[in-house]
Amino acid sequence: MCGIVGYIGRQDAAPVVLEGLTRLEHRGYDSAGVAVLGGRGLRVAKQAGRVRELTDVLPKRFAGTTAIGHTRWATHGPATDANAHPHVDETGRVAVVHNGIIDNSAALRAQLTDAGVTLASDTDTEVVAHLVARSEADTLEGKVRDALRVVVGTYGLAVLHADFPDRIVVARNGSPLVVGVGDKEMYVASDLAALVRHTTTVAMLDDGEMATVTASGFSTMRHTDLSSTGKTATQVDIDAAAYEAGDHESYMRKEILEQPTTAQAVLRGRLDERFGTAHLGGLEMDARDLRAVRRVKILGCGSAYYVGQMGAGLIEELARIPADAEAASEFRYRDPVIEPDTLYVAVSQSGETIDTLLAVQEVRRKGGRCVGLVNVVGSAIARECDGGIYLHAGPEVAVASTKALTNMFLGFALLALQLGRVRDLSIADGKRLVAGLERLPGQIEEILAGEADLVEVAKELAEARSLFFIGRVRGFPVAREGAQKFKEISYRHAEAYPTSELKHGPLALIDPEVPTVALVPRDELTERNIGALHEIDARHGPLVVITHDEVDLGAIGARRIDVPRNEPELDPILLTIPLQLLAYHAAQHLGHDIDKPRNLAKSVTVE
Ligand code: AGP
């Protein structure tokens, strides 16, 4: 989604900002722009298209040591040059870049028009530039404060003003903003990924906070009254190389292949072989708190929601507590009943998904306890929760989430184990599951080693316009996640169904042109699953079956992909790995931009 980068220091600022913007490209965008403050005052270059295309057409005299830049993902108005950020006021002295949505922009646009202002774009953001310019405050901070007083919505924004050339002012409400500290130079960005090559000394703004950033330092204050919040920078433990694709042809492929290692990272130090349980200190819940939980409600969006469904299944099976998952994007709008003895669990890779964040806030506003399963340390959701489990998957850049989702599943397995062991889960079962979790990273490696066998299958699936993914009980969320991954990057219509529901409708669509990817693990439902395969086979529907080698498919004509068996409760994540590879190779066969699928953004920070 939209990205912000700013620089103030001694270097020529535009190249620094443009390079930073390329680091945010995978978040998804359709236009780019940069504003520079230099000897010639404030200058702006912006257009629809890629950062590289903007760099190629940058005006010759575009020098200056202060700049802000933006990648836009269209919300208000199409992807045009005029709608690209930065937006400027009528005098050309103020430039603004903005992530988020200004909810009352229509009213503010009307007020500005009535006051004689000619608006140059369709965007919500442009109003901020005019409001800053029209404020009578005598400092830039005062002008920004005045503008924000009338703005309702979410924002991470950065402002340049030709009358205050020694500073960038930034503000946050709901969209992330980070200030990076260099040597007599400073950076701002909406994501650490844009900064880590320059500095790992950073300060993350909180909602309601503003910062003045000059070449020599920064100071933070509240939006409302400009009183100091006294924030200082801290060192983040991030390796800049983790953000690079290295020799891999795409980030997605790199992230798929990293899973044996990243899966170990989420388990490290959390398994207790002796007592067959898990230790999750970050939850900040003792055995008494855990025993008091009567219900678990998991909240996430997209694939995080589907893994949440896998997690709910694990919790019900191991802890025998009623558990379910709900799309956070729906939950927050339906005035949910928040129960004191329900444990709410927010699950998110980025920790910035606005729907999940607002769902957490809804839970907490009504007195509920919400813990997080989050990958990005210090992100908004992680900070908003009462405690949680960090996923330790490392930076995930590709829009299609893989390694973070695997670690979400493992995070849920740890939580289910701990909840189970303070209840009726026996020590023998606890030890069985601990041993199963310890085997998992090696089994993921085994599946990845068989990648070559999947390529032809993926190519065949890529040729279909429409596909089904089916699974039953533990396998249904796996099917949902498989269909999601496939449609995200191959742009094929892929629909997930519970296997048991096939005959209640979708069987009508089965024919030789519509393949089905079926999840058939060796478990208590194998025979019933095979029955459904017969029904598909009888209608000449092509079948790809992800299964275990002990499963006998008899005379069914199917392409089979065998995965190693673990414990039945943990098998879903092993069944998921081939689905990542199928999606990846189908998209590659179709020649799509795998890391930057059309219309999608890595983290969805607008409602
Ligand atoms: C996953 O492949 C998707 N890109 C998407 O559904 C994602 O899982 C969802 O937007 C939630 O993101 P989060 O984990 O960062 O909250």
Side-chain angles (χ1 to χ4, degrees):
M1 204 137 267
C2 305
I4 291 175
V5 180
Y7 172 84
I8 181 163
R10 296 168 295 184
Q11 303 183 52
D12 193 12
V16 178
V17 165
L18 288 164
E19 192 278 334
L21 291 178
T22 64
R23 304 274 155 189
L24 303 183
E25 286 195 298
H26 299 93
R27 294 172 64 92
Y29 74 108
D30 44 48
S31 332
V34 58
V36 169
L37 253 180
R40 293 169 164 265
L42 183 71
R43 307 200 63 201
V44 174
K46 58 178 189 166
Q47 62 181 36
R50 297 279 172 203
V51 176
R52 191 178 354 96
E53 290 155 8
L54 176 70
T55 309
D56 291 345
V57 299
L58 222 52
K60 290 229 161 31
R61 296 197 179 81
F62 207 63
T65 54
T66 306
I68 54 175
H70 191 261
T71 46
R72 172 175 188 253
W73 191 82
T75 56
H76 290 58
T80 61
D81 296 353
N83 288 337
H85 300 209
H87 290 284
V88 292
D89 73 307
E90 287 181 304
T91 68
R93 305 185 70 70
V94 177
V96 174
V97 292
H98 163 232
N99 290 355
I101 301 251
I102 295 174
D103 294 332
N104 61 339
S105 65
L108 293 173
R109 285 175 69 92
Q111 283 166 22
L112 286 164
T113 308
D114 289 349
V117 174
T118 306
L119 293 159
S121 76
D122 310 315
T123 64
D124 53 340
T125 304
E126 187 187 343
V127 299
V128 181
H130 297 294
L131 291 168
V132 170
R134 293 166 74 85
S135 159
E136 288 175 2
D138 50 13
T139 61
L140 181 52
E141 293 74 6
K143 289 176 181 289
V144 174
R145 173 206 56 207
D146 290 350
L148 296 183
R149 274 190 182 146
V150 296
V151 161
V152 177
T154 53
Y155 46 82
L157 53 84
V159 182
L160 285 188
H161 196 307
D163 296 349
F164 305 93
D166 66 335
R167 63 196 55 209
I168 304 172
V169 169
V170 293
R172 171 185 170 136
N173 184 43
S175 288
L177 262 181
V178 188
V179 177
V181 179
D183 179 15
K184 300 194 182 67
E185 55 187 1
M186 297 284 293
Y187 304 83
V188 297
S190 53
D191 191 313
L192 274 176
L195 302 184
V196 287
R197 283 183 65 253
H198 303 290
T199 179
T200 49
T201 308
V202 301
M204 295 188 191
L205 294 197
D206 285 308
D207 284 347
E209 223 170 17
M210 236 165 87
T212 303
V213 183
T214 66
S216 55
F218 72 102
S219 55
T220 55
M221 61 212 83
R222 292 177 187 83
H223 293 170
T224 41
D225 58 2
L226 303 186
S227 59
S228 170
T229 56
K231 187 160 276 176
T232 53
T234 53
Q235 195 69 29
V236 284
D237 182 18
I238 288 184
D239 175 11
Y243 287 93
E244 307 289 341
D247 294 336
H248 298 280
E249 61 222 39
S250 69
Y251 279 99
M252 185 180 176
R253 184 171 163 75
K254 173 187 179 232
E255 289 157 9
I256 288 174
L257 296 181
E258 279 174 349
Q259 291 177 106
T261 311
T262 51
Q264 282 171 0
V266 67
L267 300 176
R268 189 166 302 128
R270 287 168 165 168
L271 290 175
D272 181 336
E273 291 175 359
R274 188 158 166 235
F275 293 104
T277 188
H279 294 300
L280 298 166
L283 283 184
E284 294 179 19
M285 293 172 77
D286 60 22
R288 190 187 296 261
D289 296 328
L290 291 168
R291 279 190 64 81
V293 173
R294 291 277 158 271
R295 182 181 293 278
V296 177
K297 171 69 121 183
I298 296 164
L299 300 166
C301 292
S303 290
Y305 160 46
Y306 303 143
V307 183
Q309 283 195 312
M310 298 184 208
L314 274 164
I315 290 166
E316 283 206 351
E317 277 198 78
L318 303 189
R320 305 304 300 153
I321 308 172
D324 74 325
E326 183 172 343
S329 48
E330 288 290 302
F331 174 86
R332 52 170 288 235
Y333 283 110
R334 64 168 180 80
D335 195 16
V337 176
I338 303 299
E339 297 161 310
D341 49 7
T342 294
L343 178 65
Y344 294 85
V345 184
V347 56
S348 174
Q349 187 287 128
S350 61
E352 302 291 349
T353 301
I354 193 81
D355 285 318
T356 310
L357 177 62
L358 294 176
V360 175
Q361 289 172 350
E362 178 73 7
V363 169
R364 300 199 67 228
R365 196 171 19 250
K366 292 179 171 171
R369 183 202 284 263
C370 191
V371 297
L373 254 71
V374 175
N375 193 37
V376 176
V377 176
S379 56
I381 294 170
R383 285 185 288 165
E384 190 72 38
C385 283
D386 295 299
I389 305 170
Y390 274 124
L391 300 174
H392 301 309
E396 190 179 70
V397 176
V399 167
S401 185
T402 52
K403 62 176 182 171
L405 296 182
T406 297
N407 281 16
M408 286 174 190
F409 179 89
L410 296 174
F412 280 120
L414 294 169
L415 178 62
L417 192 54
Q418 197 174 21
L419 283 168
R421 289 289 291 124
V422 296
R423 291 183 166 71
D424 295 335
L425 188 74
S426 68
I427 188 162
D429 269 335
K431 286 184 173 183
R432 173 177 69 79
L433 289 155
V434 166
L437 286 167
E438 286 170 338
R439 285 201 301 280
L440 256 162
Q443 292 179 312
I444 295 174
E445 193 153 21
E446 221 179 291
I447 298 170
L448 296 175
E451 180 183 6
D453 300 338
L454 299 180
V455 178
E456 282 312 308
V457 184
K459 284 182 184 171
E460 285 171 21
L461 293 178
E463 297 304 328
R465 300 292 309 161
S466 191
L467 307 87
F468 281 111
F469 285 71
I470 58 169
R472 204 175 207 128
V473 187
R474 296 187 197 107
F476 176 52
V478 177
R480 294 189 89 182
E481 169 52 15
Q484 164 95 336
K485 210 91 305 163
F486 206 88
K487 73 181 89 159
E488 270 187 303
I489 55 173
S490 77
Y491 316 149
R492 295 304 193 218
H493 171 237
E495 195 171 350
Y497 254 92
T499 310
S500 52
E501 282 287 302
L502 215 55
K503 56 185 174 300
H504 296 294
L507 206 55
L509 295 174
I510 296 295
D511 71 17
E513 308 301 319
V514 180
T516 300
V517 179
L519 299 151
V520 185
R522 173 76 263 169
D523 63 11
E524 57 284 2
L525 293 167
T526 312
E527 302 320 318
R528 290 204 176 282
N529 278 323
I530 289 177
L533 300 190
H534 278 292
E535 288 167 9
I536 296 167
D537 195 36
R539 285 152 187 88
H540 309 292
L543 273 164
V544 173
V545 183
I546 320 284
T547 186
H548 294 132
D549 62 4
E550 307 87 316
V551 174
D552 180 4
L553 297 180
I556 293 169
R559 292 273 215 166
R560 67 180 290 161
I561 297 167
D562 290 338
V563 298
R565 259 183 104 180
N566 195 295
E567 301 305 323
E569 301 91 331
L570 302 176
D571 278 333
I573 202 58
L574 293 173
L575 296 164
T576 306
I577 308 293
L579 301 181
Q580 300 172 348
L581 292 169
L582 288 177
Y584 177 80
H585 285 289
Q588 203 188 40
H589 175 64
L590 292 167
H592 294 164
D593 185 342
I594 289 176
D595 289 333
K596 297 190 282 273
R598 69 183 183 203
N599 304 340
L600 298 180
K602 180 62 182 160
S603 45
V604 182
T605 51
V606 295
E607 295 178 58

